[in-house]
Amino acid sequence: MGSQIAAHFANAGVPALLLDVTPEAAFTGLQRCKAMKPDPFFTADAAALITTGGFDDSLARIGTTDWVLEAIVERLDIKRDLLARVDAVRRPGSIVSSNTSGIPIGLLADGRSDDFRKHWLGTHFFNPPRYLHLLEVIPTPDTDPAVIEAVRSFADLHLGKGVVLAKDTPNFIGNHLALYGVMRMLDKVASGEFTIEEVDAITGPALGRPRSATFRTLDLAGVDILGHVVHNLHARLEDEEARRSFVLPPFVEQMLERGQVGEKAGRGFYKRVKGAGGESEILTLDPATLEYRPRKAARFPSLDAAQSIADVGERVRSLYHGKDRVGQFLRDTLGPTLLYTAQVTPRIAHAPADVDRVMRWGFGWDLGPFELIQALRLDTPPGAPTIVASPADQTRIVRKNAGASLVDMGDGVLRVDFHSKMNAIGADTIQMLQAGVQEAARNFAALVVGNEAANFTAGANLMLMLLEAQEENWDDLDLMVRAFQQATVGLRYASVPVVVAPAGLALGGGCEIVMHADRIQAAAETYIGLVEAGIGVIPAGGGTKEMTQRAADATLAGGDLLPAVQRAFESIGFAKVSTSAAQARQLGYLRGVDHVTMNRNRLLADAKARALQRVADGYRPPVTRTEVRVGGDAVLAPLKLGVHLAWRAGRISDHDALIGRTLATIMAGGLLPHPTVVSEQHLLDLEREAFLSLLGERKTQERIQHTLKTGKPLRN
């Protein structure tokens, strides 16, 4: 955790000093961090902001730092010994915190100086710290309120964290409540009433929770961590009845003794092995024998039926009140968990809303415990906090269709909000993008394109494209592509500033929308790319044009276009997707003028502020590009040679080679004998014609069919 926390400070551009028991241990920890998947770093370059050292030879260096964050082994005596050494060398006024998941924060500071205790608090990052939004901040009675606010503000704005203040109680809020629910599920498995697979089938997306559900999540976190937290709660809780709720079943204690502690040991509740044909196979633990057996599919008709219920609260309510085994399981596990949460919240948290935030931000729940109590229409026990319903959304809808809405954000800013299934781009989306530009020009000062869904958009509606191609409706497809080009280019030349605010996936057509904004305000966790080559076509919503144009703009007048075009060609041809907004800048999808928001919850507000700033700066729309430098045969020949050599070496298929040659021709400006200038419309026409031609290829249609069926690309 120490190295991963340091990595995320580096992601925020903050230099970090990583210390361990020896310099070698710190260096090894950093190297291990660099090799982790998912990657703790936004880009490989960020690791350069971390330096390493050992406690004995480098501890004095913390005297120049602003924040000292302890993240060593979870033992009170060892932590206190180290903090005494920290107190002797730290700079007065510097913040000191512990990343402990459960040791009392106040107890750790016993015996420390007055200045230390004034600047001391708990900062519990959730693992992995780059990806999990939650940060529990635990002050003590001695903590200066200004220190609390400084940490809260920095973590929010610079680290992108959702900060919740917790009381200094055993395991704070998240681990305490989450583990209560896990214990009830373990009881069901220990009794033989439910299998591990059945519990995971019930407690995943059906309840609005991650696909890793319960036992896969425990394997990832570590069964040893589960044991540590449960033992800590049993030892430290004052209420005897509550203590009895935190006792591991014997089979889990035996797992700990045998080292079956999860993913890091290669075996936990699940075990991955190689099958007879060399393929990977996942086995499941038999709690009775602690041996592994083939997985058994969990079959619950009520879960299948509930998939059609889009609203999470309604879906959980239908399952909870069901008369089958799923309903009984939830009434025996979720019901007591919600009751326990309502009872202990006044002791561990400052408000019910904080509890909901903790479970959403730290554990990926769509609905927190109190939101679930409301959804299930349950009564809370006497003395439990009153639940106050959130005020109705006052956002004004200006116009709406099935794919998107125009939303008045206030202060003269209009927003295009996608809300189709998976935010797929179809005719409705395109229509509303065009309507947004027109409405903003008439009645608003600026336009924002963004939404609060997990993903901005995963791209065009592939099913619609495939059906039209199979029916050979080429005129209709041509009109569709022209309309999308007009919509994206229309964003660029709108009479008001357009700010696009992507987060999560922004792929294919989504990337093309992003790239045509006047300015981009991207969430730090934005995964953006032109992925069309993976389904056998090329970007045709202005994406190929835009990357060609950006390559030309990045080349000095009279300079060789090939290096910049080659990089852009590879980004498109290899369907490169950024793993962060920072990497999107390296790939050319974001420009120097584009900004990044670390905290996703602030993204739309930041985009609105950016749009208003562009208005205040005296925004003037750009003039339509009539001259774009292209390389002609000086670019086309080497690009086609590279494609040919890759094909000869067996690295790409015949169809890949066709796509590569087609893409090279567009990015060279067409079949031109020498470098020249062409219009933006010329490049748009080339990419549209190429897209339609490739869409007519049998192998392209096979790729699209395969992707729709499996969600994975096909190499044919």
Side-chain angles (χ1 to χ4, degrees), residues 8 175 252 297 313 552:
H8 198 52
N175 284 342
V252 180

Side-chain angles (χ1 to χ4, degrees), residues 215-216 218-224 254-273 282-285 289-292:
F215 291 106
R216 177 61 180 147
L218 290 174
D219 274 354
L220 291 170
V223 184
D224 53 336
Q254 292 169 18
M255 289 176 66
L256 296 174
E257 293 170 5
R258 294 169 55 145
Q260 294 169 276
V261 295
E263 185 82 5
K264 56 192 169 189
R267 55 184 190 147
F269 293 102
Y270 293 105
K271 179 181 179 181
R272 189 185 300 272
V273 297
I282 297 177
L283 305 179
T284 306
L285 181 78
T289 65
L290 296 189
E291 299 301 325
Y292 294 89

Side-chain angles (χ1 to χ4, degrees), residues 12 82 105 119 182 238 341 401 476 493 503 507 581 583:
L82 178 60
I105 302 300
H119 294 85
V182 167
E238 296 179 359
T341 298
N401 65 20
D476 289 346
Y493 298 113
L507 305 180
Q583 194 189 43

Side-chain angles (χ1 to χ4, degrees), residues 134 136 164 173-174 353-363:
L134 177 64
E136 289 180 321
V164 172
I173 300 172
D354 285 342
V355 171
D356 284 344
R357 293 185 188 104
V358 164
M359 303 312 292
R360 290 200 310 269
W361 294 346
F363 297 90

Side-chain angles (χ1 to χ4, degrees), residues 438-606:
Q438 296 164 3
E439 178 67 23
R442 288 192 298 264
N443 299 311
F444 292 84
L447 179 67
V448 167
V449 182
N451 56 72
E452 294 181 342
N455 297 310
F456 179 72
T457 171
N461 186 328
L462 293 182
M463 179 61 77
L464 176 62
M465 286 198 319
L466 178 63
L467 291 175
E468 293 288 349
Q470 290 175 335
E471 293 293 327
E472 299 187 354
N473 293 329
W474 301 114
D475 288 343
D476 289 346
L477 278 165
D478 181 71
L479 289 173
M480 288 169 57
V481 179
R482 286 177 187 270
F484 188 45
Q485 288 181 338
Q486 290 166 2
T488 57
V489 174
L491 298 175
R492 169 69 48 80
Y493 298 113
S495 61
V496 299
V498 176
V499 176
V500 177
L505 296 177
L507 305 180
C511 179
E512 292 174 304
I513 291 171
V514 170
M515 293 176 68
H516 283 83
D518 168 58
R519 293 292 186 268
I520 301 166
Q521 187 74 38
E525 298 295 346
T526 298
Y527 316 118
I528 182 172
L530 296 167
V531 297
E532 286 85 351
I535 57 166
V537 292
I538 52 92
T544 305
K545 175 271 301 180
E546 187 65 18
M547 292 294 278
T548 304
Q549 191 168 291
R550 290 186 182 192
D553 292 344
T555 304
L556 294 175
D560 182 8
L561 285 168
L562 181 61
V565 174
Q566 175 80 41
R567 289 191 294 272
F569 174 84
E570 290 175 355
S571 291
I572 299 174
F574 293 121
K576 291 183 179 180
V577 177
S578 74
T579 57
S580 65
Q583 194 189 43
R585 200 182 303 278
Q586 294 179 342
L587 293 175
Y589 302 135
L590 267 62
R591 305 155 297 180
V593 296
D594 298 322
H595 290 182
V596 174
T597 295
M598 287 292 286
N599 190 333
R600 168 66 189 272
N601 290 348
R602 294 184 174 275
L603 179 62
L604 292 181
D606 287 353

